[in-house]
């Protein structure tokens, strides 16, 4: 009799232990939103469309990897809080480190604009080769004072145009765009950054057109 009661006690103990473990697993799977719930991470992509261009340049354009401020050169999308405290958008990132992704985005956008004969990440042996050096000093969002619902987006870019044949500097350009009162939702922030980049690249293409030989 004693052994049977002991055996029943062991079985009961294991049934209780399994039940507690199962409840713990179910509780972890049904955590209410707002209490440690993490949404699925989203990869954001840029596709800037250039505006009206004044002319097409007779130039083969080479764009090496851009210099990007260390504060924003990350795969995460930077958000600055008051007092210049750095943070990142939750559950959102770029497909690659910003310096790499920004460079490929610019090359793609300028290629699609048809403003140049060719645009590439490699130098050309063609006599019409030009190098465009880019430096991105700002590409982020900032909380507006006394507001957690609205942000400003900032896109600051510098460029240097060089003739590859003799390394002569043909032009120096700087662009600084700020868009205020943007909804703090990540989707809205990326849309605003995309438009700011498009505006900067439109201005850049038109400015380079004044310093390069033109087709029309």
């Amino acid at each position: 009799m004693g052994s049977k009661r002991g055996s029943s006690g062991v079985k009961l103990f294991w049934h209780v232990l399994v039940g507690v473990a199962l409840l713990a697993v179910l509780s972890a799977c049904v955590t209410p939103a707002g209490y440690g719930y993490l949404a699925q991470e989203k990869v954001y992509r840029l596709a800037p469309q250039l505006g009206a261009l004044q002319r097409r340049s007779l130039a083969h354009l080479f764009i090496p990897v851009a210099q990007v401020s260390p504060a924003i050169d990350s795969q995460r999308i930077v958000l600055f809080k008051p007092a210049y405290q750095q943070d990142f958008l939750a559950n959102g990132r770029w497909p690659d480190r910003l310096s790499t992704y920004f460079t490929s985005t610019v090359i793609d956008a300028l290629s699609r604009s048809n403003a140049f004969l060719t645009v590439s990440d490699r130098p050309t042996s063609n006599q019409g080769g030009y190098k465009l050096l880019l430096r991105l000093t700002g590409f982020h969002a900032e909380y507006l004072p006394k507001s957690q619902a609205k942000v400003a987006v900032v896109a600051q870019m510098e460029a240097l145009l060089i003739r590859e044949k003799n390394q002569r500097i043909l032009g120096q350009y700087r662009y600084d765009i700020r868009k205020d009162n943007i909804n703090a939702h990540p989707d809205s922030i990326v849309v605003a950054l995309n438009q700011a980049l498009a505006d900067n690249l439109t201005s850049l293409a038109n400015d380079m057109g004044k310093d390069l030989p033109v087709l029309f």
Side-chain angles (χ1 to χ4, degrees):
M1 291 293 292
S3 62
K4 287 184 180 179
R5 283 198 298 269
S7 176
S8 299
V10 171
K11 288 181 180 179
L12 179 61
F13 170 78
W14 282 110
H15 287 162
V16 172
L17 188 61
V18 170
V20 170
L22 182 59
L23 284 174
V25 170
L26 289 175
S27 298
C29 294
V30 213
T31 305
Y35 292 88
Y37 173 74
L38 294 177
Q40 185 175 6
E41 188 174 59
K42 183 175 181 179
V43 177
Y44 286 95
R45 300 182 183 277
L46 300 166
Q49 300 290 327
L50 273 65
L53 301 179
Q54 300 167 359
R55 52 180 65 86
R56 185 174 187 230
S57 301
L58 276 169
H60 297 277
L61 203 59
F62 158 50
I63 305 179
V65 176
Q67 293 184 2
V68 174
S69 170
I72 59 174
D73 192 14
S74 168
Q75 197 170 356
R76 302 179 70 184
I77 303 171
V78 175
L79 170 66
F80 284 106
K81 295 181 176 180
Y84 300 100
Q85 295 181 2
Q86 186 173 354
D87 200 356
F88 304 94
L89 293 188
N91 308 315
R93 62 180 177 84
W94 302 122
D96 204 339
R97 193 175 187 88
L98 185 56
S99 50
T100 302
Y101 184 55
F102 172 76
T103 306
S104 63
T105 299
V106 171
I107 291 173
D108 180 65
L110 292 181
S111 296
R112 287 186 286 103
S113 73
N114 203 33
F116 310 92
L117 294 180
T118 60
V119 183
S120 173
D121 61 351
R122 298 187 179 188
T124 175
S125 58
N126 193 293
Q127 291 297 311
Y130 298 84
K131 179 164 56 179
L132 181 66
L133 300 180
L134 297 173
R135 183 168 179 261
L136 191 65
T137 54
F139 201 68
H140 59 273
E142 299 174 355
Y143 272 122
L144 296 176
K146 300 180 181 180
S147 175
Q148 293 294 309
K150 298 289 184 179
V151 300
V153 299
V154 176
Q156 299 168 327
M157 184 176 75
E158 299 173 0
L160 196 65
L161 180 64
I162 300 172
R163 180 185 285 122
E164 287 196 88
K165 182 179 179 180
N166 54 14
Q167 296 301 300
R168 178 186 173 189
I169 297 176
L170 300 181
Q172 299 182 60
Y173 320 99
R174 188 177 187 277
Y175 308 97
D176 188 348
I177 288 183
R178 180 184 177 92
K179 295 180 180 291
D180 289 311
N181 296 315
I182 305 299
N183 190 300
H185 191 280
D187 290 358
S188 301
I189 290 173
V190 173
V191 167
L193 284 171
N194 187 72
Q195 185 56 56
L197 178 57
D199 293 345
N200 277 346
L201 293 180
T202 299
S203 297
L204 174 62
N206 281 324
D207 288 343
M208 286 194 293
K210 302 171 186 176
D211 297 320
L212 291 168
V214 296
L215 183 61
F216 59 81

